[in-house]
Amino acid sequence: MKRKVILHQQKSQQHKWKRKILTLIFVVGVCFGTLLFLQTRYNDVFGLVSFQHQVVSQSQVQIPKIAFLFIARNRLPLEMVWDAFFRGGNNKFSIFVHSRPGFLFNNATTKSKYFLNRQVNDSIQVDWGEASMIEAERILVRHALRDPLNDRFVFLSDSCIPLYNFSYTYDYIMSTPTSFVDSFADKKDGRYNPKMHPVIPVRSWRKGSQWGVLTRKHANVVVDDETVFPMFQKYCKKKPLPEFWRDQHIPADTSKIHNCIPDEHYVQTLLAQKGLEGELTRRSLTHTSWDISNSKARDRRGWHPVTYKYSDATPTLIKFIKEIDNIYYETEYRREWCSSKGKPSTCFLFARKFTRPAALRLINMFVVGDFN
């Protein structure tokens, strides 16, 4: 009898252990399954987040930028206009400023966050009508090319204003694969120095505005140039100013008999020399007025374009500039009808030369500066 009881107890204990083992197996299985499910969901979610982050990163990387290259004396007197313009830029731009050596854009010299510390650190002293002007351009381009996202390079003076908002300007410039370079054959005597031949043959000699827009390919051509630029340094020099501009007599300097203004010839001639004119839209996007024949003001005569003062800054002036839709080049008998995205359009995105009072007046009249 006792033996039966002992056997019964042993079987009961065995059943308990089996139940415990099965329960433990079940619990472990449930936990493992739960962990596996959570891991799978985590991988799915993490993978989706990573993919979205990758897509965002790739989209940011692929957005080309416009490099705005300012040539200034010291400060940028029209920075308030440009500050409003760049607010709509959405990281699609970069800024580089060439000022006199040692000048810094800090909280004491600029009120715009966009220009803080944007000066290049190897600037040179620039003199109008000298090769130093095109060397300053080359310095700016060299700095801007270090950013692989910079795809267009816009040359601007410290007296330029934008005529449209950033979005319109960006789309206009980026809609064509060409550079915008004002370039035409210079057939008048006195600019081309025969001593440049054969490095720069007369057939490649071009003239135009320095305020152009370069593609990245053409920007590289400018900074890599080691043949045309030295010839400009040596043989492209301006004549002394006319008597009413000077206090001294004209010196007998035969090296300056060819009245060559380097910045009006260099980029145009270089690209023609390289056989790249077919890759250009041969006009500038910056309006400059040279119609000074009827002006009686002394500071509006000579070799410089019109400077727009406070009294000139009117809605009528801006409207007139914006409505220009063609440019005529008399030396080539060529009329350049302006277009964008294959449709007729305005010719100019920028204009110069505006004084600070003139720009402030335009802003106050909401003619420019209302870029939002």
Side-chain angles (χ1 to χ4, degrees):
M1 187 69 181
K2 289 182 178 179
R3 186 178 179 181
K4 289 183 178 180
V5 171
I6 292 172
L7 289 173
H8 178 73
Q9 289 176 345
Q10 289 177 343
K11 289 181 179 180
S12 177
Q13 289 177 350
Q14 289 175 352
H15 284 304
K16 289 180 179 179
W17 278 107
K18 287 181 179 179
R19 284 197 298 271
K20 288 181 178 179
I21 292 172
L22 290 173
T23 301
L24 179 61
I25 292 172
F26 176 77
V27 172
V28 170
V30 170
C31 291
F32 181 79
T34 302
L35 289 172
L36 183 63
F37 174 78
L38 292 175
Q39 180 66 35
T40 302
R41 293 298 298 160
Y42 174 81
N43 289 338
D44 290 342
V45 173
F46 182 78
L48 179 60
V49 172
S50 298
F51 175 75
Q52 291 175 338
H53 178 73
Q54 185 178 14
V55 169
V56 171
S57 298
Q58 289 177 349
S59 65
Q60 290 175 343
V61 168
Q62 293 174 351
I63 296 176
K65 296 192 296 187
I66 297 177
F68 291 84
L69 313 179
F70 290 86
I71 297 180
R73 296 170 181 82
N74 294 300
R75 302 186 184 208
L76 290 172
L78 309 186
E79 66 177 8
M80 62 287 186
V81 180
W82 289 104
D83 185 271
F85 174 78
F86 287 127
R87 288 175 198 169
N90 297 322
N91 299 318
K92 294 181 179 179
F93 67 91
S94 57
I95 297 172
F96 300 86
V97 185
H98 185 288
S99 287
R100 64 171 173 79
F103 185 85
L104 301 178
F105 281 88
N106 53 34
N107 291 326
T109 57
T110 180
K111 295 181 180 179
S112 171
K113 65 179 182 179
Y114 298 110
F115 293 104
L116 283 173
N117 302 314
R118 297 316 305 158
Q119 73 282 343
V120 296
N121 58 10
D122 54 350
S123 63
I124 61 173
Q125 181 61 45
V126 173
D127 296 311
W128 178 81
E130 300 291 343
S132 56
M133 178 67 79
I134 55 179
E135 176 59 12
E137 293 179 352
R138 285 157 55 92
I139 290 172
L140 284 168
V141 174
R142 192 177 299 117
H143 280 270
L145 282 170
R146 294 173 184 170
D147 185 344
L149 297 184
N150 286 333
D151 196 63
R152 296 294 190 276
F153 304 80
V154 181
F155 291 110
L156 297 162
S157 77
D158 56 9
S159 65
C160 284
I161 63 169
L163 297 173
Y164 299 92
N165 62 32
F166 184 91
S167 178
Y168 181 87
T169 302
Y170 182 90
D171 290 343
Y172 193 114
I173 291 175
M174 301 302 295
S175 66
T176 174
T178 67
S179 293
F180 289 89
V181 177
D182 188 41
S183 177
F184 55 91
D186 182 21
K187 298 180 179 180
K188 296 180 180 180
D189 295 332
R191 289 293 184 102
Y192 176 75
N193 190 333
K195 292 181 180 179
M196 294 180 175
H197 186 83
V199 177
I200 305 175
V202 68
R203 66 176 179 274
S204 298
W205 189 246
R206 299 290 184 272
K207 184 182 178 183
S209 168
Q210 75 179 103
W211 312 112
V213 179
L214 299 180
T215 62
R216 191 172 182 89
K217 174 183 176 180
H218 296 158
N220 275 300
V221 171
V222 169
V223 299
D224 292 340
D225 171 37
E226 295 180 353
T227 56
V228 174
F229 179 64
M231 299 301 290
F232 269 75
Q233 287 180 304
K234 189 172 182 179
Y235 296 117
C236 186
K237 301 178 183 294
K238 71 178 187 297
K239 281 184 178 180
L241 293 171
E243 284 295 334
F244 64 83
W245 280 69
R246 301 184 313 98
D247 297 326
Q248 300 176 357
H249 294 292
I250 299 175
D253 188 348
T254 57
S255 68
K256 296 186 177 183
I257 60 172
H258 299 280
N259 184 30
C260 183
I261 312 299
D263 55 79
E264 294 181 357
H265 297 275
Y266 173 65
V267 172
Q268 295 84 347
T269 299
L270 173 63
L271 296 178
Q273 178 86 337
K274 297 291 184 180
L276 298 173
E277 283 192 303
E279 301 176 9
L280 307 180
T281 298
R282 293 170 60 196
R283 59 183 176 88
S284 175
L285 296 182
T286 300
H287 178 267
T288 306
S289 176
W290 292 91
D291 186 13
I292 57 177
S293 57
N294 296 324
S295 176
K296 295 181 180 180
R298 176 173 173 173
D299 60 351
R300 295 194 174 196
R301 301 198 306 266
W303 300 348
H304 295 278
V306 171
T307 295
Y308 295 114
K309 300 180 180 180
Y310 182 88
S311 59
D312 303 311
T314 64
T316 301
L317 171 64
I318 300 302
K319 183 175 183 292
F320 167 76
I321 296 173
K322 284 186 172 184
E323 289 180 349
I324 297 174
D325 61 0
N326 71 91
I327 305 169
Y328 183 68
Y329 295 90
E330 61 181 27
T331 62
E332 297 180 339
Y333 306 103
R334 171 173 62 95
R335 186 174 296 278
E336 188 80 23
W337 290 94
C338 302
S339 64
S340 176
K341 299 180 180 180
K343 298 179 180 179
S345 72
T346 183
C347 289
F348 301 110
L349 300 179
F350 314 102
R352 62 187 299 267
K353 302 172 57 174
F354 285 82
T355 61
R356 182 178 176 85
L360 286 172
R361 187 184 189 193
L362 292 174
I363 290 177
N364 292 334
M365 291 189 294
F366 301 102
V367 177
V368 297
D370 187 20
F371 296 122
N372 297 323

